[in-house]
Amino acid sequence: MSRTVYLVDDDETVRSALTLLLETVGVTVKSFASPEAFLTQAANLPPGCLILDIRMPAISGLKLQEKLSAQGIFWPTVIISGHGDIEACRRAFRNGAIDYLRKPVDEQDLIDAIQKGQAELEACQQRAAERAEAQALVSALSPRESEVLEMIAKGVTTKQIAHALGLSPRTVESHRAAIAAKAGTTSTAELTRFWLEAQGDP
Amino acid sequence: MKQRARRKEAEQRADLSALETRLAHASRVNAMGEMASGMAHELAQPLTAILSQAQAGRHLVRRGDVEGLARVLDDTVAQAQRGADILERLQRWSRPNRDLAQACSLNDAALRVKRLLGREAQAKGAVVTLDLPNTLLQVKADPVELEQVIFNLVRNALDAADRARVLLRARRVGDRAVLEVSDDGPGVPADIRERVFEPFVTGKKDGTGLGLALCQRLVEEMGGDMELVSGTAHTTFRLSLPIAVS
């Protein structure tokens, strides 16, 4: 649980009590007294799990969730609420919340939710890193090599590639060897994965 | 022809009164729903703090951090007290005490409130001014409740702004004693002006929305009424109470 958890609650005592509890179990917490304060800083913060109170003046926790999405911030979010309003709960999940906890919030439920959020964040960053690596590789290829890799990824044989591009099979083989050298692998499966990842979400 | 018209009119009246009854019932149910939801939120806050503090305290005990635990316990006590205060206010709201009503002086109540809030006013750089008549204004009320009402109004005025200028002006208007509490703060937000006396409606960041609701209820029990005066430069709450006949 190394990442910072961001807590937004307008009640000062709730904020400090939850911060105390989480810090006691080794979670780093940065708390905000209002959604506005968090919104102005969010873009400069490293990604982390969010804990939002639902009922705050001016901007509710649900509204904040929507505003963050509009800014392109999709961090794992746990909504905490003083009353179990089913409609609010449904809206929170529709906005992508990973959990909805009733106040008073039990320690274990909160920690479980944060762990789930952090695991999600890790997985998300892992995917982003892999994609960045694949994109860097693909952009390092010559236009011709890129064409060849695309056809490899589609499962086309060397002979068919040669035919399609009007090259000799030997030239295709040498392009393939150059791609493999840049990618650090000769495996067709790996090369295919690189190509697909570089293309982004299907 | 005439008879038919009369019958129709009577039917319409009956319909109307049934509708009114239903409306009154609906608004009571709605108010209760809002009350329950507001109360749940109000009590959930200190409970959340208490639960978190107690669970943090358990970790601190395991670590033998007695000093840390002592601090947490102090905060826990304060939060339990906050919960108890909310309950007490709700209880007073549901049944004000009518047995202690007596003829008491509105001027004295205003003076006592000014004294009670003197330190707070000073800390905020606020000035509380009294404009009281030389004649005695006696109203029939429980002196503590009367003071509580005025206290709430002046406290709100002080909270309205830093360095607020608060004026308490009392006078006799016919058979009523009228007290106005005004401040030069930014005023009650327009979206809650109409509902400012409803429970759980508040313009304050940490307000419970119970203060004015309780005040209005107490004042009604005293046979008086209370309003937020509109169309004035300053925020003014006007309290009007029947003069006590000795």
Side-chain angles (χ1 to χ4, degrees), chain A residues 11 13 24 103 106-107, chain B residues 45 52 55 59 63 79 82:
Chain A
D11 190 302
T13 50
T24 313
K103 279 182 176 179
D106 184 69
E107 174 184 8
Chain B
Q45 302 296 70
S52 304
Q55 290 182 325
H59 292 290
R63 264 175 239 172
Q79 286 310 301
R82 175 179 167 196

Side-chain angles (χ1 to χ4, degrees), chain B residues 194-223:
Chain B
E194 299 289 316
R195 303 181 294 126
V196 76
F197 294 109
E198 285 176 25
F200 301 110
V201 171
T202 182
K204 290 196 222 176
K205 208 168 158 298
D206 302 316
T208 59
L210 287 175
L212 284 177
L214 174 63
C215 284
Q216 194 184 41
R217 197 171 156 89
L218 292 176
V219 169
E220 274 171 7
E221 293 279 333
M222 296 170 196

Side-chain angles (χ1 to χ4, degrees), chain A residues 70-86:
Chain A
Q71 282 192 22
I73 294 173
F74 300 97
W75 299 342
T77 303
V78 180
I79 297 285
I80 52 177
S81 162
H83 50 123
D85 174 349
I86 292 181

Side-chain angles (χ1 to χ4, degrees), chain A residues 16-188:
Chain A
S16 64
L18 283 175
T19 303
L20 167 79
L21 174 62
L22 290 173
E23 288 187 339
T24 313
V25 296
V27 179
T28 313
V29 182
K30 192 165 164 56
S31 70
F32 298 84
S34 72
E36 293 87 340
F38 182 71
L39 272 173
T40 54
Q41 292 184 45
N44 303 318
L45 296 171
C49 189
L50 270 169
I51 303 171
L52 307 181
D53 182 28
I54 204 162
R55 185 162 161 167
M56 291 182 281
I59 303 177
S60 74
L62 294 177
K63 197 84 205 146
L64 176 59
Q65 244 185 326
E66 286 158 16
K67 280 179 181 280
L68 287 170
S69 303
Q71 282 192 22
I73 294 173
F74 300 97
W75 299 342
T77 303
V78 180
I79 297 285
I80 52 177
S81 162
H83 50 123
D85 174 349
I86 292 181
E87 192 41 52
C89 178
R90 190 179 294 149
R91 193 169 145 205
F93 280 115
R94 238 188 347 243
N95 289 350
I98 57 166
D99 216 334
Y100 185 96
L101 303 175
R102 291 271 313 257
K103 279 182 176 179
V105 184
D106 184 69
E107 174 184 8
Q108 203 50 52
D109 292 342
L110 186 61
I111 290 170
D112 288 348
I114 291 172
Q115 267 166 346
K116 186 174 159 200
Q118 300 209 334
E120 219 166 80
L121 210 55
E122 293 290 343
C124 185
Q125 295 211 315
Q126 177 77 24
R127 278 198 303 278
E130 280 169 7
R131 172 165 311 160
E133 193 196 350
Q135 277 166 345
L137 166 75
V138 170
S139 66
L141 300 179
S142 72
R144 189 56 111 187
E145 285 166 357
S146 181
E147 262 178 319
V148 172
L149 178 58
E150 182 177 1
M151 296 181 94
I152 292 171
K154 283 177 180 158
V156 182
T157 63
T158 304
K159 225 181 199 166
Q160 286 166 328
I161 295 172
H163 181 72
L165 298 180
L167 303 169
S168 74
R170 273 194 61 162
T171 313
V172 174
E173 282 300 344
S174 76
H175 282 313
R176 194 181 167 128
I179 296 166
K182 284 177 184 169
T185 175
T186 55
S187 148
T188 307

Side-chain angles (χ1 to χ4, degrees), chain B residues 102-125:
Chain B
Q102 51 182 267
C104 53
S105 157
L106 188 60
N107 290 1
D108 287 353
L111 279 164
R112 270 199 304 275
V113 168
K114 187 186 172 180
R115 208 166 43 235
L116 278 171
L117 284 168
R119 194 186 293 256
E120 194 172 323
Q122 200 180 12
K124 293 181 164 193

Side-chain angles (χ1 to χ4, degrees), chain B residues 89-101:
Chain B
R89 260 176 295 173
L90 276 166
Q91 273 159 358
R92 292 211 73 171
W93 196 80
S94 58
R95 47 179 164 78
N97 192 344
R98 292 308 305 142
D99 301 337
L100 301 166

